[in-house]
Amino acid sequence: MAVKVGVLALQGAFALHTRALERLGVAVVEVRTREDLLGVDALVLPGGESTAISKLLEANDLFDAIGSRLAGGMPALGTCAGMILLANDVLDGRADQRSFGALDIAVRRNAFGRQVDSFEAEVHVAAIGDQPFHGVFIRAPYVEWSGPGVEVLGVIDGRPVVCRQGPVLATAFHPELSDDLRIHELFLSGSRVVTDTPER
Ligand code: GLN
């Protein structure tokens, strides 16, 4: 069965994720409703503004639906705000912002400092090969703490910026902004494991 990947398209930088996945030959569904979610095997949570996305998830009746899919093992890729949404614990968040707790990390919003809103850095990620990934960080979070079940796959200044826990992968940077599909490929290689299982 061909894998169908959803891209959460409520707010933020979702369009280039769709493009990256299509370049990899994957069928993509932009997810804005519960019906959209039903048809997907895996989900990308894009960068943007995690507080706004959290509100829109609730307003569109999607928060609990995505939460239960994640609890059931749906593979997910969260980038920047998406990483925040997947985390167990959000530091410097707004009191009313919610997260899915699908990744056992404490993540700090806007962690790299306000004067450096945006920067680019080479991130060594052994899981995708020797050549570093050019990371575009935009008011990016970093991971302040990660649980024993979390693999730290990439680090900047001693801070984890690429993490994986089972089928859930997250980056603090925006991989869709670099002309490099290796993070999306890594995510898909995790997703295929699930979709190749018969009788889902
Ligand atoms: N600072 C944003 C937030 O807290 C994330 C920024 C991004 O996704 N580029 O949600």
Side-chain angles (χ1 to χ4, degrees):
M1 191 181 72
V3 60
K4 238 190 216 170
V5 177
V7 175
L8 185 65
L10 297 175
Q11 191 268 342
F14 56 84
L16 288 175
H17 277 295
T18 300
R19 175 107 65 90
L21 292 164
E22 284 174 351
R23 280 174 66 192
L24 290 168
V26 174
V28 180
V29 176
E30 291 193 342
V31 172
R32 298 185 178 84
T33 65
R34 290 174 77 115
E35 290 68 43
D36 296 335
L37 183 69
L38 289 176
V40 308
D41 302 296
L43 186 66
V44 175
L45 296 92
E49 180 51 56
S50 58
T51 55
I53 298 174
S54 167
K55 275 211 180 95
L56 289 165
L57 283 166
E58 291 193 303
N60 290 277
D61 204 19
L62 267 170
F63 194 92
D64 292 339
I66 291 175
S68 64
R69 289 293 305 273
L70 289 169
M74 174 177 67
L77 168 65
T79 63
C80 203
M83 173 187 249
I84 296 169
L85 285 158
L86 288 171
N88 245 347
D89 201 7
V90 178
L91 308 170
D92 291 338
R94 276 180 46 149
D96 59 351
Q97 109 174 70
R98 294 178 70 192
S99 66
F100 291 114
L103 196 51
D104 191 17
I105 58 173
V107 69
R108 188 172 295 282
R109 290 180 63 220
N110 306 328
F112 285 101
R114 288 188 192 283
Q115 75 280 26
V116 191
D117 272 350
S118 189
F119 65 96
E120 303 186 11
E122 303 304 312
V123 187
H124 181 67
V125 185
I128 59 172
D130 289 342
Q131 200 195 329
F133 194 94
H134 186 75
V136 179
F137 294 78
I138 304 168
R139 301 189 70 216
Y142 62 57
V143 173
E144 207 152 283
W145 176 89
S146 63
V150 175
E151 299 169 84
V152 173
L153 302 182
V155 171
I156 285 283
D157 295 341
R159 301 294 192 178
V161 291
V162 185
C163 289
R164 180 169 64 185
Q165 184 171 12
V168 177
L169 177 66
T171 66
F173 53 85
H174 280 249
E176 80 286 3
L177 295 180
S178 303
D179 189 24
D180 184 338
L181 297 170
R182 290 178 297 158
I183 293 288
H184 291 87
E185 280 175 325
L186 181 65
F187 162 56
L188 291 176
S189 66
S191 307
R192 285 206 179 101
V193 171
V194 172
T195 51
D196 284 344
T197 312
E199 295 307 321
R200 298 187 58 234

